[in-house]
């Protein structure tokens, strides 16, 4: 198995795990990727965020050599995506949205099979499987059929299976879809532990908290283009350091202030507006928005979240109308 990207020359900057420029991909008349640029630092956790249909899974499929781009260039794990596809595949692993496991085998048998397919002899395959079962807290269930595993256990076993070949770069395409909160957090711990060993992880997710918890850097993808990229803190500061949530007295008051908001909750007549969080700014904002002190019934202040970033940057639809009936 390949050990991944070539070691950089002494004193040189580390080679990024992924360098992609101008990637495009269409399916018939549908333009899914429209010139995507990505740089994923080696050893980092990088998250792709975006609404359904933004192109996240297509980007992963292109970078994992499952489908060819129509245009653009990329180097993955130090290898050219077009001319060194075999080398790329030897250095990466992909865990998709659904566990790819044989339910008629035990957890240990699944991992040993993967190891044997990867070229390990029986004793080495057994040792590799045992080590991964221990790493992911599955040793007690090693000899149980996968059909008896919970959803969280299956996802952990699927992640372990993706690591049998010791990849330098791991693609995780929405790995916690369908998991309960406890199982999701258990998988987060596994991803953190994996990152601590130096493995580069490219993660796509619909859970904004997941990206906030795990990612060193985030790219927001919308309609096939990267519209923002940076650390979670930097992206949140683009929207606001804090958010002032106002509950309005009437639907008319909600509609009047909605165009200024970055967060909308028409069901509760609540709007969120950016603020620096200081008392003078909040007082001034309230006086400007509600000079008669009859429009705002209550307010709260909290630190901006990735939800705010996501909604502010990907909002292409009209402001929703309030449905509250006083």
């Amino acid at each position: 198995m390949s050990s991944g990207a070539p070691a950089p020359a002494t004193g040189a900057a580390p080679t990024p795990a992924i360098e992609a420029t101008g990637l495009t991909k269409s399916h018939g008349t549908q333009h899914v990727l429209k010139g995507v640029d990505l740089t994923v630092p080696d050893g980092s956790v990088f998250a792709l965020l975006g609404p359904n249909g933004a192109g996240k899974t297509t980007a992963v499929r292109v970078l994992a050599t499952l489908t060819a781009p129509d245009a653009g260039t990329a180097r993955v794990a130090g290898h050219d995506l077009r001319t060194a596809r075999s080398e790329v595949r030897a250095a990466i692993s992909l865990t998709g949205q659904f566990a790819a496991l044989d339910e008629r085998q035990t957890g240990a048998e699944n991992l040993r099979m993967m190891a044997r397919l990867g070229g390990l002899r029986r004793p080495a395959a057994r040792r590799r499987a045992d080590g991964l079962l221990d790493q992911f807290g599955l040793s007690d269930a090693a000899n149980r059929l996968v059909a008896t595993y919970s959803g969280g256990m299956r996802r952990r076993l699927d992640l372990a299976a993706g690591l049998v070949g010791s990849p330098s770069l791991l693609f995780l395409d929405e790995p916690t879809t369908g998991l309960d909160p406890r199982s999701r957090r258990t998988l987060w711990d596994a991803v953190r532990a994996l990152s601590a060993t130096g493995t580069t992880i490219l993660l796509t997710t619909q859970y904004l908290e997941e990206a906030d918890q795990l990612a060193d850097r985030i790219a927001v993808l919308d309609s096939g283009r990267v519209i923002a990229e940076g650390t979670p803190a930097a992206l949140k500061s683009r929207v606001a350091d804090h958010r002032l949530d106002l509950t309005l007295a009437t639907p008319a008051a909600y509609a009047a202030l909605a165009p200024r908001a970055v967060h909308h909750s028409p069901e509760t007549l609540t709007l969120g507006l950016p603020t620096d969080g200081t008392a003078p700014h909040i007082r001034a904002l309230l006086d400007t928005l509600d000079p008669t002190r009859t429009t705002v019934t209550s307010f709260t202040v909290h630190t901006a979240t990735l939800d705010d970033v996501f909604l502010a940057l990907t909002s292409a639809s009209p402001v929703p109308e309030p449905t509250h009936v006083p």
Side-chain angles (χ1 to χ4, degrees):
M1 299 293 288
S2 169
S3 61
T10 303
T15 301
I18 297 174
E19 290 181 284
T21 304
L23 292 180
T24 67
K25 183 65 181 179
S26 298
H27 298 302
T29 59
Q30 182 183 9
H31 302 295
V32 184
L33 301 180
K34 304 174 184 177
V36 168
D37 299 337
L38 283 178
T39 299
V40 177
D42 188 48
S44 68
V45 180
F46 193 99
L48 279 180
L49 280 179
N52 288 332
K56 302 185 301 299
T57 295
T58 298
V60 167
R61 288 180 59 81
V62 167
L63 294 170
T65 76
L66 296 181
T67 186
D70 297 331
T73 61
R75 294 186 68 82
V76 177
H79 307 291
D80 187 273
L81 191 66
R82 294 181 183 275
T83 63
R85 295 169 69 85
S86 296
E87 290 84 349
V88 171
R89 290 174 179 174
I92 68 172
S93 182
L94 169 63
T95 297
Q97 297 179 22
F98 305 100
L101 302 167
D102 186 345
E103 295 188 345
R104 297 167 297 179
Q105 296 192 89
T106 66
E109 287 170 342
N110 267 274
L111 296 187
R112 290 199 294 266
M113 177 184 67
M114 294 291 186
R116 292 285 286 155
L117 290 172
L120 296 183
R121 295 183 180 275
R122 287 186 187 278
R126 184 177 293 275
R127 287 194 300 271
R128 184 62 177 151
D130 290 345
L132 287 168
L133 288 165
D134 181 64
Q135 180 180 343
F136 287 92
L138 293 169
S139 294
D140 290 344
N143 296 317
R144 282 171 45 192
L145 294 179
V146 172
T148 69
Y149 281 21
S150 68
M153 293 170 69
R154 291 182 189 213
R155 294 306 289 161
R156 279 185 281 150
L157 184 63
D158 197 37
L159 185 55
L163 297 174
V164 165
S166 302
S168 63
L169 172 59
L170 178 63
F171 293 96
L172 298 180
D173 190 15
E174 300 192 19
T176 61
T177 296
L179 296 187
D180 62 79
R182 184 182 300 277
S183 296
R184 184 175 299 135
R185 291 184 180 275
T186 299
L187 197 67
W188 290 358
D189 290 340
V191 171
R192 291 189 187 100
L194 185 59
S195 175
T197 68
T199 302
T200 305
I201 298 170
L202 178 64
L203 168 78
T204 74
T205 179
Q206 290 291 333
Y207 300 109
L208 304 178
E209 182 189 7
E210 186 161 277
D212 206 0
Q213 288 283 332
L214 297 177
D216 300 305
R217 297 187 70 81
I218 296 169
V220 181
L221 200 63
D222 193 28
S223 299
R225 291 188 173 90
V226 175
I227 58 173
E229 193 266 332
T231 66
L235 288 176
K236 284 183 272 190
S237 70
R238 286 185 55 169
V239 176
D241 291 329
H242 294 77
R243 197 179 79 195
L244 176 66
D245 281 359
L246 308 174
T247 300
L248 286 306
T250 65
Y254 176 96
L257 295 180
R260 300 184 57 169
V262 296
H263 172 75
H264 304 83
S265 179
E267 297 82 5
T268 60
L269 295 181
T270 301
L271 295 171
L273 290 91
T275 174
D276 62 11
T278 63
H281 188 261
I282 292 170
R283 290 193 190 99
L285 197 55
L286 287 170
D287 288 341
T288 300
L289 299 173
D290 187 14
T292 63
R293 301 190 177 185
T294 59
T295 299
V296 176
T297 60
S298 63
F299 70 89
T300 57
V301 181
H302 63 83
T303 303
T305 67
L306 282 180
D307 294 68
D308 303 317
V309 175
F310 185 88
L311 292 169
L313 295 178
T314 65
S315 178
S317 57
V319 173
E321 293 294 331
T323 56
H324 177 77
V325 178

